Amino acid sequence: MNPTWVKAVALVCLFGAVLLFAETLVRWIVSRRNQGRAINFRMKLIGQGRTSLEAMNVLRRSASSVPSNLPSFLANAAHRFEQLLIAAQVRMPTGRLMLIILLAPFAVFLTILIGMAVVGAPTAFGRLLLVATFSVVAGAIVPIFLLQIKASRTRKRMQEQFPVALDVFVRGLRAGHPIAAALDLLTVEMPDPIGSQFGLVVDEVTYGAELRDALQAMAERWDLDDMRMFVVSLSVQSETGGNLAEILENLAKVIRDRHSMMLKVRALSSEGRMTALMLTILPVFAFTVLCLLNPAFYLDVADDPAFVPGFVVLILLYAVGFIWIRRLVDIKV
């Protein structure tokens, strides 16, 4: 056979094999994306062979691990931290994560001290204060800030999904489904995070909890006024009667109008919020990056007698500015 024809056939076969592989890869990626959009985390757990009780134990965090004998301000801070973990959808137990965040600054501090001792760097009080500040920022403040970003995104997505969930719930009621079946419809139709949360409510009701208590617990976990209005609507309708589908349809309209007003307020205040964000993040980011890339930038002046009082005053001014800016941009609608 002519060698030219052999090369041509080989190239055609190679081209066909590459084309077939690329098509198979694209189809697999598209199917995975479609599956991820259509199924929430609870349905994935059930699809993996876990029972609804096991899925409920994974989704629901354990009871509050905050000691009851703490002072009020510490107890409030601990409860807010637990709410932050719930909103961030962190599966790790609260006590373990709190212990990690508390011990991380000490680990960073000891690691830096050991490194300074190895290289023979002096350990004056100003240097120790600088290292301690960097350890707190890198070991505690930055992880908590990342958790807050994730929690804000998840809570915002919950707010956007809730009116759609009410529409699906109303359609289920008008189709003749009871309340429990309409709620179960949300668990297979809505993606995360709201699909898994309504699935958690359905599982709690299945294992003996009252529907009102399960919904109220979900509203308290996420601290959303829209969910509280939904629970109140169900409670009032169960006591006084009425067309629940019409009530929830009006509630969905009110929630959408409220969200529209919130978006207008956010648009009008976007410049101030972005300024507040940059003024809050930029000093911490610059301090952390300089300490990592050029430690001598701060360590060379840490031995100066004016460094310690100046550094303490700087931290206090930053804290006052942070609280002041947060109050200025925290607009309630």
Side-chain angles (χ1 to χ4, degrees):
M1 189 174 180
N2 193 347
T4 304
W5 285 102
V6 173
K7 291 181 180 179
V9 172
L11 289 176
V12 170
C13 293
L14 180 62
F15 174 78
V18 172
L19 183 63
L20 182 62
F21 174 76
E23 184 181 1
T24 304
L25 181 63
V26 169
R27 285 185 178 181
W28 179 76
I29 294 174
V30 171
S31 64
R32 287 293 301 270
R33 288 184 177 179
N34 291 335
Q35 182 182 10
R37 291 175 183 173
I39 304 176
N40 53 53
F41 183 68
R42 174 178 174 271
M43 297 303 297
K44 287 182 181 179
L45 291 176
I46 295 177
Q48 293 173 358
R50 301 195 183 190
T51 64
S52 58
L53 179 60
E54 292 174 344
M56 182 177 66
N57 291 331
V58 172
L59 291 171
R60 184 178 59 187
R61 299 186 61 84
S62 58
S64 176
S65 58
V66 179
S68 58
N69 56 355
L70 286 178
S72 59
F73 68 97
L74 289 179
N76 293 333
H79 286 299
R80 285 197 299 269
F81 182 72
E82 282 190 332
Q83 291 233 335
L84 174 66
L85 297 182
I86 291 172
Q89 293 185 311
V90 178
R91 310 278 188 247
M92 186 181 296
T94 304
R96 185 186 305 172
L97 187 58
M98 292 179 66
L99 183 62
I100 291 175
I101 292 179
L102 288 175
L103 293 180
F106 293 99
V108 175
F109 183 75
L110 291 176
T111 302
I112 296 176
L113 284 185
I114 293 173
M116 293 174 65
V118 170
V119 300
T123 55
F125 180 74
R127 292 173 178 261
L128 294 179
L129 178 62
L130 186 63
V131 170
T133 304
F134 173 77
S135 302
V136 172
V137 171
I141 295 179
V142 172
I144 291 176
F145 180 72
L146 296 177
L147 286 175
Q148 286 181 342
I149 292 178
K150 186 178 180 182
S152 299
R153 290 179 178 177
T154 307
R155 189 178 284 110
K156 182 179 178 181
R157 192 175 179 192
M158 284 279 290
Q159 291 176 341
E160 294 173 351
Q161 290 178 331
F162 195 70
V164 182
L166 286 181
D167 291 339
V168 176
F169 186 68
V170 168
R171 288 198 297 268
L173 292 178
R174 293 193 175 185
H177 295 293
I179 294 178
L183 284 176
D184 189 58
L185 185 65
L186 296 177
T187 66
V188 296
E189 293 290 338
M190 297 298 298
D192 278 331
I194 201 167
S196 296
Q197 294 302 315
F198 273 111
L200 183 58
V201 170
V202 171
D203 291 338
E204 289 177 350
V205 172
T206 302
Y207 286 98
E210 292 290 336
L211 176 61
R212 185 187 309 176
D213 297 336
L215 290 172
Q216 185 65 35
M218 182 179 70
E220 294 299 330
R221 281 196 304 268
W222 289 91
D223 193 22
L224 293 178
D225 295 333
D226 299 342
M227 289 185 179
R228 292 191 179 96
M229 289 190 289
F230 174 62
V231 175
V232 170
S233 300
L234 286 179
S235 302
V236 172
Q237 191 274 338
S238 64
E239 294 177 0
T240 62
N243 190 345
L244 180 60
E246 184 177 356
I247 294 172
L248 295 181
E249 188 175 6
N250 294 332
L251 177 61
K253 182 178 182 302
V254 170
I255 291 175
R256 284 192 171 93
D257 293 340
R258 181 169 172 266
H259 286 178
S260 177
M261 179 63 69
M262 290 177 63
L263 291 177
K264 290 180 181 179
V265 172
R266 288 179 63 86
L268 293 174
S269 62
S270 59
E271 182 180 358
R273 290 186 295 103
M274 183 56 64
T275 303
L277 181 63
M278 295 306 299
L279 291 177
T280 302
I281 295 178
L282 190 58
V284 178
F285 177 77
F287 175 74
T288 305
V289 171
L290 282 175
C291 286
L292 291 174
L293 300 181
N294 188 16
F297 184 84
Y298 289 111
L299 293 177
D300 289 343
V301 298
D303 297 329
D304 192 281
F307 175 79
V308 174
F311 193 68
V312 172
V313 171
L314 179 64
I315 294 176
L316 293 178
L317 290 177
Y318 177 80
V320 172
F322 174 77
I323 297 173
W324 199 328
I325 291 175
R326 287 295 298 269
R327 290 184 179 274
L328 287 176
V329 300
D330 189 14
I331 301 175
K332 302 295 183 182
V333 180

